[in-house]
Amino acid sequence: MLPASISFESLTPEMVAKTIDHALLKPDMTVDEVIEGCRLCAKYQVASVCVKPCDVFAAAQVLQGTGVDVGTVIGFPHGNSPAQVKVFEAIKALEDGAVELDMVLNIGHLKSGLFGQVRDEIRLLVTAAKEKLPSCCVKVIFECSLLTDEEKAVACRLSEQAGADYVKTSTGFSTGGATLADLKLMRASTDPSKTHVKASGGIRTLDYLIECLQAGADRIGASTTADIIEDMKARKAAVA
């Protein structure tokens, strides 16, 4: 649980770790690298590991009983798969051991003003996933670098109406990552009692992670997890 007032002083290394979804999504990542990354997640006790759909089963095997959740991506990275394909991908991932799903919304449909279709696609996946696993967590990725501020706000409202648990800034594989301005806009455009915010893309340092939390993020997608947490430990030790 994060403190009401977030600062370096109010956080612990354990708190920071539990904000992180450790990303293992590079297209050329080997199975051995995924397994090594999962073991790192267990060591640092992060919130979750986010792997490619093909790696969910292996990650679930490695992380069983560790307290670290397994997540994956749906319709990644462009969001262009038909809704029924995204649902199939989500159900397969849950069957393989995932409990968190980060789905990319249909960016082209959002920019076309097809808001009902965008909302219905998210709702279809959320409904199917939670019927399969009621405790699963669904996050909706916007790819904010491709959207106007108005489109980001609309995407927030549509995701919340559809029952998503999180709205997320980006895939990390497009033209930009998480910005503080986007996080503040997304936090202001959603109900904190219903919808959380995930920052992802370009968060490589402890200082920027803390800034993202202060801007409204609840979760952080990162791949430099060890560097971030070891920096936190070192700096805490230096002021002890």
Side-chain angles (χ1 to χ4, degrees), residues 5 10 26 30 32 40 46 62 66 87 91 103 112 118 124 149 155 161 164 184 186-188 191 196 214 227 240:
S5 179
S10 68
K26 291 181 180 178
T30 67
D32 285 343
L40 181 142
V46 300
V62 174
T66 66
V87 169
I91 297 303
M103 69 163 290
S112 298
V118 173
L124 184 68
D149 284 353
Q161 291 167 9
K184 291 174 183 177
M186 293 164 76
R187 182 68 288 161
D191 182 343
H196 301 293
Q214 292 169 336
D227 291 342

Side-chain angles (χ1 to χ4, degrees), residues 25 50-53 71-76 89 102-103 141 168:
L25 297 169
C50 190
V51 299
K52 294 173 287 187
T72 192
V73 286
I74 305 297
F76 195 83
E89 191 174 18
D102 291 27
M103 69 163 290
I141 308 173
K168 177 178 170 182

Side-chain angles (χ1 to χ4, degrees), residues 29-109:
M29 185 166 278
T30 67
V31 173
D32 285 343
E33 288 172 328
V34 171
I35 290 172
E36 181 182 354
C38 288
R39 289 175 177 156
L40 181 142
C41 290
K43 172 185 174 181
Y44 287 111
Q45 284 294 289
V46 300
S48 79
V49 59
C50 190
V51 299
K52 294 173 287 187
C54 61
D55 294 324
V56 169
F57 185 81
Q61 295 297 302
V62 174
L63 291 170
Q64 186 174 10
T66 66
V68 176
D69 288 338
V70 176
T72 192
V73 286
I74 305 297
F76 195 83
H78 302 304
N80 295 329
S81 302
Q84 294 82 357
V85 174
K86 289 181 180 177
V87 169
F88 179 88
E89 191 174 18
I91 297 303
K92 174 60 176 165
L94 296 176
E95 290 174 347
D96 283 349
V99 297
E100 300 201 356
L101 305 171
D102 291 27
M103 69 163 290
V104 187
L105 62 69
N106 192 309
I107 300 162
H109 284 182

Side-chain angles (χ1 to χ4, degrees), residues 6 178-180 183-184 197 199-203 206-220:
I6 296 170
T179 70
L180 301 181
L183 291 169
K184 291 174 183 177
V197 177
S200 185
I203 305 168
L206 172 63
D207 290 326
Y208 195 49
L209 179 148
I210 292 173
E211 286 187 86
C212 288
L213 295 176
Q214 292 169 336
D218 302 284
R219 286 275 192 97
I220 305 294

Side-chain angles (χ1 to χ4, degrees), residues 2 13-23 40-41 44-50 68-69 100 139 166 198-199 203 205-206 209 213 218-230 232:
L2 291 175
E14 294 76 19
M15 288 177 182
V16 169
K18 283 302 181 188
T19 69
I20 294 176
D21 292 346
H22 183 69
L40 181 142
C41 290
Y44 287 111
Q45 284 294 289
V46 300
S48 79
V49 59
C50 190
V68 176
D69 288 338
E100 300 201 356
K139 310 182 192 106
Y166 278 80
K198 178 176 173 179
I203 305 168
T205 67
L206 172 63
L209 179 148
L213 295 176
D218 302 284
R219 286 275 192 97
I220 305 294
S223 57
T224 58
T225 298
D227 291 342
I228 290 170
I229 298 176
E230 290 299 332
M232 183 71 168

Side-chain angles (χ1 to χ4, degrees), residues 86-87 90-91 94 101 103 119-134 136-140 158-166:
K86 289 181 180 177
V87 169
I91 297 303
L94 296 176
L101 305 171
M103 69 163 290
R119 181 184 58 244
D120 291 347
E121 176 181 278
I122 299 168
R123 181 179 289 137
L124 184 68
L125 188 141
V126 169
T127 300
K130 290 185 181 289
E131 285 178 354
K132 182 70 176 180
L133 182 68
C136 82
C137 176
V138 178
K139 310 182 192 106
V140 180
L158 297 175
S159 299
E160 188 163 277
Q161 291 167 9
D165 299 291
Y166 278 80

